[in-house]
Amino acid sequence: MTADILRLKIEAALFEGEAHRLRLCTGAKKLAPFFPLTPDSLNALEDETVSWLDQFIYRFTKLQDAMGTRLFPALAFMISGNDEPRPFLDTLNMLEKIGVVSSVEEWQTLRAARNNLAHEYPGSDEQRSAILNILFLEWRKLESMFMAAQSYYEEKLLPLLDRKR
């Protein structure tokens, strides 16, 4: 992979992630008065609030997907110089060592919450409201990881790419 292609991949993932992050911020502001949720308050939300909640979940999911499938593997490739497929856990561990991922366990906890929300089951309002409360409390950790990845790229990796031009 050439330096220009790698740069395009990373910057496209950062551009996409920033769009999701900004929408997450907007959604969080709109939803703040409704948290923490209970099963009863979740079921009593008006349609407009449910729309904000849906957007919040969607943007959280898309941000984590963009980071996990495009941004982190590209950063790991650039750091290691090795584009061989590797287990995602190895990528997370590498990024944790350099401070991009604050904690592999936090990433996995956020991923588990996201996966639980992807599977809606009737009659599980208590579980759904509990997961939404976790997600609402913890989404800033995902944002921090994204911003750390962005800063690391701009401060450490981009100058290396510029030297290769």
Side-chain angles (χ1 to χ4, degrees), residues 4-157:
D4 286 339
I5 291 174
L6 185 57
R7 183 183 190 140
L8 286 173
K9 283 183 148 192
I10 292 171
E11 291 180 2
L14 287 171
F15 182 80
E16 178 188 353
E18 181 64 12
H20 295 310
R21 187 190 72 76
L22 291 173
R23 297 287 185 201
L24 260 172
C25 289
T26 301
K29 285 178 190 170
K30 295 281 188 182
L31 293 169
F34 302 98
F35 277 86
L37 292 170
T38 65
D40 290 339
S41 67
L42 177 62
N43 286 322
L45 293 175
E46 294 184 11
D47 286 345
E48 182 180 340
T49 307
V50 172
S51 295
W52 282 110
L53 191 58
D54 288 345
Q55 176 186 295
F56 182 80
I57 294 166
Y58 174 78
R59 296 297 179 163
F60 181 90
T61 300
K62 297 300 281 183
L63 177 57
Q64 195 173 44
D65 287 348
M67 292 168 68
T69 60
R70 291 181 289 288
L71 181 59
F72 286 176
L75 291 176
F77 166 64
M78 186 160 181
I79 293 165
S80 70
N82 181 352
D83 66 347
E84 294 291 320
R86 71 180 76 219
F88 186 62
L89 189 56
D90 290 352
T91 298
L92 287 176
N93 284 323
M94 176 191 297
L95 296 176
E96 184 182 46
K97 284 181 186 170
I98 61 170
V100 169
V101 173
S102 54
S103 160
V104 171
E105 290 77 24
E106 282 181 1
W107 174 272
Q108 291 173 325
T109 298
L110 293 171
R111 188 68 177 185
R114 170 232 185 261
N115 289 343
N116 284 333
L117 285 172
H119 306 287
E120 289 186 47
Y121 300 107
S124 63
D125 292 336
E126 190 163 318
Q127 180 184 10
R128 187 166 161 76
S129 60
I131 293 168
L132 287 168
N133 287 331
I134 292 168
L135 205 63
F136 195 77
L137 284 173
E138 305 290 333
W139 78 270
R140 291 275 185 195
K141 291 179 180 175
L142 184 66
E143 179 186 42
S144 293
M145 290 182 213
F146 174 75
M147 295 178 84
Q150 188 173 38
S151 293
Y152 190 86
Y153 171 71
E154 291 171 357
E155 294 168 12
K156 308 272 185 189
L157 301 178

